[in-house]
Amino acid sequence: MSRKIWAFLAALSFFALPQLNSHLTTTLNVPHSDSEKAQEILRREFGEDIEGTFTVIYKYKKASLEEIGGFKKATIKAASAIPGGEVILTRAAGGYFFAIIQTPMQLPKAASFTTDLRLAIDSVGLHGALVGGPPAIKNDVTPILNRDLIRGELIGASLAALILILLLGFSRTLLIPLFFTVSVTSISLAITYLISLKHPMALYLPNVISLISLGLCLDYSLLVIYRYRSERKLGKSHDEALEVTQRLSIPTVSASSALIAGSLLILLIIEVPFIRSLALGLLLVPLIAWIASRTLLPELIQKYGDGSELREGAISRWQRSLAQKFSMAAIQKPILFLILSLTFLSFSALGVKDFSPTPSSLTTLPVTIGVLVGVIVLVGVLVGVLVGVFVGVLVGV
């Protein structure tokens, strides 16, 4: 029954996905910063919303004052293509004519008029004029992100399919990670759409969610499949193997999901909508994957992992042998592997020295934020170690 419910939710999610991009934003505003305070004054006192403001730049060689006045009149005429559009500032200097067109609309709605404004600018004689601003950026970047998302998903799906075939061989078991990944990804994006109706979400969040979901779902599904196959090879029946798989593998998946979700919760304490939107969106993936692993994944194993095809993939035997050798080496020389791991992490963290926050973001964060984050990270590490030990003992039993 849960398999049908998940299939229904996944299918229903595809109706929300086309509407998602229209509710995403490119804003990087930092609350309580000087720039944010200035924008709030503009919105409250003058009715100006920078997020819905266009910038027009027109290059000319030589122009008299009368011709520059003509540029201004042409821009005002073109601004009428946008409902409520109004030219609030014009300047001419160094061979460039600048104009700012204010709109009463928020970013997603204003972005939909970018093409109309460009056509209007061209029709009034300002050929080659550039139209920028947050709405134009969103209008231009969204199709690129969509194409990159499709291209990335195709490449990722192709590589994932190749790896799954090598690991699992040609069998119905391949459908398990496929259905699991599609369900978790589509539902995560659908919930992101619902959140975007009330909270600003980053424009490229769908790309990140799809990437994280692909890796996480494949990892979880392979973990469960390998445990199930191992139990079947020991001569256990399908029901017995499924029961052992749920008892030993699902707690590992649950611990992993909890640790990932816990690490993302740290981002929620930073009062920056852009960062919080990333945290909210990415937080959905491990949570939904955890729920799906306890409901959908056993159903998929029941349906497509009945043991009728237990052939190993082309590299499964080699992979198992390599993993055993690596595990034994780590057990025999734990200090050496600890040093190697810390060295790798140290090299990975070298990029932190080049991190340079902007003044707004630096003044926005409380003075004690470093201490707070440090304590949270330390607690997270300790909890992770305890959970890891507990799960290890549980799986060992």
Side-chain angles (χ1 to χ4, degrees), residues 325-337:
K325 292 179 181 179
F326 184 84
S327 301
M328 290 302 300
I331 293 174
Q332 294 172 358
K333 300 179 179 180
I335 303 299
L336 174 61
F337 276 78

Side-chain angles (χ1 to χ4, degrees), residues 356-380:
S356 179
T358 62
S360 294
S361 63
L362 187 60
T363 56
T364 297
L365 300 180
V367 177
T368 57
I369 191 69
V371 178
L372 179 60
V373 172
V375 172
I376 293 177
V377 172
L378 178 60
V379 173

Side-chain angles (χ1 to χ4, degrees), residues 143-200:
I144 297 175
L145 289 178
N146 289 338
R147 289 196 298 268
D148 289 345
L149 179 59
I150 295 175
R151 186 183 299 112
E153 288 179 343
L154 289 176
I155 295 175
S158 300
L159 292 176
L162 177 61
I163 294 175
L164 289 175
I165 291 174
L166 291 174
L167 291 175
L168 303 177
F170 288 97
S171 68
R172 296 193 308 167
T173 310
L174 291 173
L175 297 175
I176 297 176
L178 173 62
F179 290 159
F180 186 67
T181 302
V182 170
S183 299
V184 172
T185 303
S186 59
I187 294 175
S188 298
L189 291 174
I191 298 178
T192 300
Y193 164 73
L194 296 178
I195 297 176
S196 69
L197 298 178
K198 294 295 183 181
H199 182 81

Side-chain angles (χ1 to χ4, degrees), residues 72-136:
K72 181 177 180 179
K73 292 180 180 179
T75 305
I76 294 175
K77 181 180 179 180
S80 63
I82 304 176
E86 179 184 0
V87 177
I88 61 173
L89 178 66
T90 58
R91 289 287 187 274
Y96 288 92
F97 172 78
F98 302 88
I100 296 180
I101 301 177
Q102 172 191 320
T103 72
M105 296 173 286
Q106 295 182 343
L107 179 62
K109 184 66 175 177
S112 64
F113 288 94
T114 302
T115 302
D116 295 337
L117 179 59
R118 285 172 173 164
L119 293 176
I121 289 289
D122 190 68
S123 66
V124 297
L126 299 180
H127 304 293
L130 302 177
V131 177

